[in-house]
Amino acid sequence: MGSSLLPSPAFSMAIFFAVCAFLCVFPEPALAKHARVTRHYKFNIKSQNVKRLCQTKSIVTVNGQFPGPRIIAREGDRLVIKVVNHVQNNLTLHWHGIRQLRSGWADGPAYITQCPIQTGQSYVYNFTITGQRGTLWWHAHISWLRATVYGPIVILPKRHVPYPFPQPFQEVPIIFGEWWKADTEAVISQALQTGSGPNVSDAYTINGLPGPLYNCSAKDTYKLKVKPGRTYLLRLINAALDNELFFSIANHTLTVVEADAVYIKPFKTQIVLITPGQTTNVLLKTKSKSPKAPFVMAARPYVTGPAAFDNSTTTGLLEYETSSVKANKNKNKKKLPLLKPVLPKLNDTLFSMNYNKKIRSLANAKFPANVPKAVNKNFFFTVGLGVSTCSKNQTCQGPNNTRVVAAINNVTFVQPNTALLQAHFFNQSRGVYTTDFPANPPFKFNYTGTPPSNIAVSSGTKVVVLPFNTSVELVLQDTSIIGAESHPLHLHGFNFFVVGFGSGNFDPKNDPKKYNLVDPAERNTVGVPSGGWVAIRFLADNPGVWFMHCHLEVHTSWGLKMAWVVLDGKRRNQKLLPPPSDLPKC
């Protein structure tokens, strides 16, 4: 379960603040009902030689593991994770999807909620899992280090609380990733220098393994061994840097029961679509008798953009257990046939739309969908690409010495040198950020039609300030500048409700009439449809500074990101707690 930590002044202070936070949020009867457990982990960030695709390379890992170690906790537990940085890269970790109620110092995005952990330094991430259960994940949140620094977070329900679906025989995390033969830090560094798209990955992976469709990777194949007539819970996580993925298991139907650690109305499907950042729990019911063949599980990209992409497929095997007598007989027979799944076309946007329509909250008495019905503030954000002029001493590959950038409302985000949360908490925002992020695009145009002649963007470190408990509606509109593309947008610190989405330009008069305010999907990451829009609602009830960005890592590097500053409320339990004493310095 990880290593215990020795108390230190910083650690003691962190415990004190966390206990205060917990007591403010939970009354005593809640404590009596579920004895909270504090779970300690120690994450050593270290380099490790790993061989994939015939080639050995040094990668950044946690505890020498790739993918990284699994975190297991129950709803209501506190996690204390000491991260010690033994590599040359500065680093932070993000606990993707954890609400971090009043514990924004533990959220992890570099220069947003904290300065990075420098070489030889450590930081204790200290937070409580409040009102959440299901599958989430953790990953590095600086530059492209999350290419290899990631792992699952399994949050079990409180003791004696059942799942709202059949109890599985076994639970299995399945993490999709991308693998580069090159050093990913060099890949993005070169792209930012030249102003063009980065080199694409060389393979996709399932639990770190590419599978037999890649060179010398037959032995590097993930195998899921199952018994006949059983139900398995597969905890799917898309940790890929730059690609949404289709996933399927040949001749098997999957029942989707959870998305982004929120239970949903179960539905059956042959194919799951999952964007970077998202998690999806599915039930796999195995066949009643052991078939005489292994089944291929496969994942390949869903692609909508104009840029180059890794057009390959990662595969694993679903193998049924057989008796030793049968197994010995089979050894003397011909090789068993491999049954392969059929996946949608690479650009099947219709499948994407139809699949996402099926994801709906349970919306019952036990698991209500608390959608904000009244809205205090409306925002309309365009998300897409543009260009920016390069400096005179730099040679960029775009026309007239320009580089490709990404922007929200025509603003490409400039990373500050000081963490925004620190600047906000200590009232030292001057020179760090401004509060004039536009609530609407600076000028209107046909967002999904012919792009305007001027596609240059502005830049700045701009935020939106929200009073505590503001109910927000945000429409995210894709643009066709350079090319329409699906954008998986992730909001830190909150879950939000997906009240509507569609293709083309958002119609403010007619589209809101079709909103689903009864049982919309509740998520932390949503794909803005290619050439379309999505409307989300959330309640700003978590004080702090919260990052929102595209989870296609190349777009984040290009500036498709911004931050929300949520002010303290009036009550004591509505205020951000002070920073821990070991908070890294810039």
Side-chain angles (χ1 to χ4, degrees), residues 332-348:
N332 303 320
K333 290 183 179 179
K334 288 181 182 177
K335 203 173 182 182
L336 294 172
L338 268 180
L339 298 172
K340 299 175 184 176
V342 177
L343 291 166
K345 289 180 181 177
L346 291 165
N347 62 349
D348 196 338

Side-chain angles (χ1 to χ4, degrees), residues 227-549:
K227 296 176 185 290
R230 304 279 190 167
T231 298
Y232 291 79
L233 179 67
L234 307 184
R235 297 176 176 271
L236 309 178
I237 299 166
N238 188 350
L241 257 69
D242 291 315
N243 285 282
E244 303 184 48
L245 295 168
F246 294 119
F247 171 72
S248 184
I249 302 175
N251 291 31
H252 287 75
T253 299
L254 303 171
T255 303
V256 184
V257 294
E258 180 195 297
D260 287 359
V262 179
Y263 298 135
I264 64 169
K265 290 182 171 72
F267 67 91
K268 295 184 185 302
T269 184
Q270 307 295 130
I271 297 146
V272 171
L273 174 63
I274 185 166
T275 79
Q278 288 183 340
T279 60
T280 303
N281 280 6
V282 299
L283 295 177
L284 166 69
K285 185 114 175 34
T286 56
K287 298 180 185 300
S288 55
K289 294 180 180 176
S290 292
K292 295 177 180 176
F295 299 87
V296 172
M297 54 175 78
R300 80 167 185 208
Y302 164 56
V303 181
T304 55
F309 63 95
D310 177 356
N311 185 10
S312 66
T313 304
T314 179
T315 53
L317 293 177
L318 180 74
E319 294 183 341
Y320 279 76
E321 289 184 6
T322 53
S323 68
S324 55
V325 177
K326 279 184 181 177
N328 287 332
K329 280 184 180 178
N330 285 336
K331 277 183 184 176
N332 303 320
K333 290 183 179 179
K334 288 181 182 177
K335 203 173 182 182
L336 294 172
L338 268 180
L339 298 172
K340 299 175 184 176
V342 177
L343 291 166
K345 289 180 181 177
L346 291 165
N347 62 349
D348 196 338
T349 299
L350 184 62
F351 177 91
S352 169
M353 285 284 203
N354 290 334
Y355 178 85
N356 285 309
K357 278 177 188 170
K358 295 174 187 172
I359 299 175
R360 292 173 176 265
S361 294
L362 281 179
N364 57 25
K366 199 170 183 182
F367 301 104
N370 297 317
V371 195
K373 298 293 198 297
V375 172
N376 302 131
K377 292 207 171 182
N378 286 274
F379 297 90
F380 183 84
F381 288 0
T382 54
V383 292
L385 305 180
V387 295
S388 174
T389 304
C390 290
S391 59
K392 290 177 182 176
N393 57 359
Q394 190 179 2
T395 304
C396 289
Q397 295 181 353
N400 302 319
N401 200 34
T402 55
R403 63 166 66 249
V404 178
V405 292
I408 301 177
N409 274 356
N410 213 48
V411 178
T412 186
F413 187 85
V414 176
Q415 184 171 280
N417 297 318
T418 303
L420 298 183
L421 184 60
Q422 211 169 327
H424 162 65
F425 185 83
F426 292 106
N427 291 317
Q428 295 171 344
S429 62
R430 182 170 293 188
V432 180
Y433 65 83
T434 59
T435 58
D436 57 344
F437 191 91
N440 294 283
F443 58 93
K444 291 182 178 179
F445 60 98
N446 182 0
Y447 305 115
T448 55
T450 305
S453 54
N454 181 6
I455 58 171
V457 304
S458 62
S459 62
T461 310
K462 299 172 185 285
V463 305
V464 172
V465 177
L466 296 171
F468 185 82
N469 256 359
T470 303
S471 57
V472 174
E473 179 176 310
L474 168 62
V475 175
L476 296 158
Q477 171 74 59
D478 182 38
T479 73
S480 56
I481 296 174
I482 298 183
E485 191 168 0
S486 177
H487 297 277
L489 260 288
H490 172 48
L491 175 61
H492 290 230
F494 300 94
N495 279 355
F496 52 76
F497 291 94
V498 183
V499 295
F501 58 90
S503 55
N505 295 335
F506 175 72
D507 180 344
K509 187 178 178 183
N510 295 309
D511 284 331
K513 295 173 186 174
K514 296 176 263 183
Y515 282 173
N516 174 11
L517 301 178
V518 177
D519 62 350
E522 183 181 347
R523 309 211 67 148
N524 63 59
T525 306
V526 66
V528 180
S530 176
W533 58 272
V534 63
I536 66 172
R537 287 187 180 182
F538 66 95
L539 184 66
D541 58 354
N542 192 8
V545 177
W546 304 108
F547 204 26
M548 189 178 81
H549 61 98

Side-chain angles (χ1 to χ4, degrees), residues 64-124:
Q65 299 175 37
F66 171 69
R70 187 184 311 181
I71 288 176
I72 301 177
R74 286 193 183 276
E75 178 187 343
D77 286 351
R78 186 161 64 94
L79 285 170
V80 177
I81 304 161
K82 183 173 185 178
V83 178
V84 186
N85 187 4
H86 300 285
V87 298
Q88 293 306 304
N89 310 77
N90 289 344
L91 185 128
T92 68
L93 292 184
H94 170 53
W95 320 95
H96 186 111
I98 297 284
R99 289 262 347 246
Q100 299 292 0
L101 287 165
R102 301 173 63 219
S103 57
W105 307 105
D107 192 42
Y111 299 102
I112 306 298
T113 59
Q114 69 168 100
C115 299
I117 307 167
Q118 297 177 28
T119 307
Q121 302 295 310
S122 67
Y123 180 47
V124 176

